[in-house]
Amino acid sequence: MEEGVVYHTEEFELAGLLCACGCDHRITLIVPESHRVWDEGGYATIQPSVGVFDAPCKSHYVIRAGHVQWLPAFSGAQATRIMHAQIARHASQDPEPASWLHRTAAVLSGFVKKLRAVFLGGR
């Protein structure tokens, strides 16, 4: 990755960049779920702000038409609250995992089909 470049792929709904502070921390954004990225005159705009919680710099900024606008850093408590809210949002959108009973039934069903194929010659 190069400093000052926002990498964005609509196909995979991701954006990546190095932290604007220069610490070389790699940032990945989930687009459009958590952030929006678009082109303004050939330069990237990212909304909402980028908060770096997992690096020592603790940077917080917005990128508008390629220009970084610095914002106050989040406190530790704010960062924790935001991260917990993001995790809860992602978890609420994930499908419920199959119960052990459904997983066991699926395995047994596959096993029975294989036995039939062996004993009945694929009929």
Side-chain angles (χ1 to χ4, degrees), residues 17-84:
L17 65 150
L18 292 176
C19 185
C21 81
C23 72
D24 288 333
H25 180 72
R26 291 176 182 229
I27 299 168
T28 303
L29 304 174
I30 301 171
V31 180
E33 188 175 307
S34 66
H35 286 80
R36 291 180 45 232
V37 178
W38 67 94
D39 181 290
E40 271 190 63
Y43 296 96
T45 293
I46 300 175
Q47 286 290 331
S49 64
V50 176
V52 183
F53 305 129
D54 58 341
C57 67
K58 303 296 184 215
S59 294
H60 183 209
Y61 51 88
V62 172
I63 297 177
R64 289 195 180 103
H67 296 284
V68 176
Q69 298 176 347
W70 293 98
L71 301 171
F74 289 109
S75 69
Q78 288 172 315
T80 299
R81 191 170 50 253
I82 291 167
M83 291 301 291
H84 285 175

Side-chain angles (χ1 to χ4, degrees), residues 3 67 94 97-98 108:
E3 189 174 322
H67 296 284
D94 287 344
L108 288 176

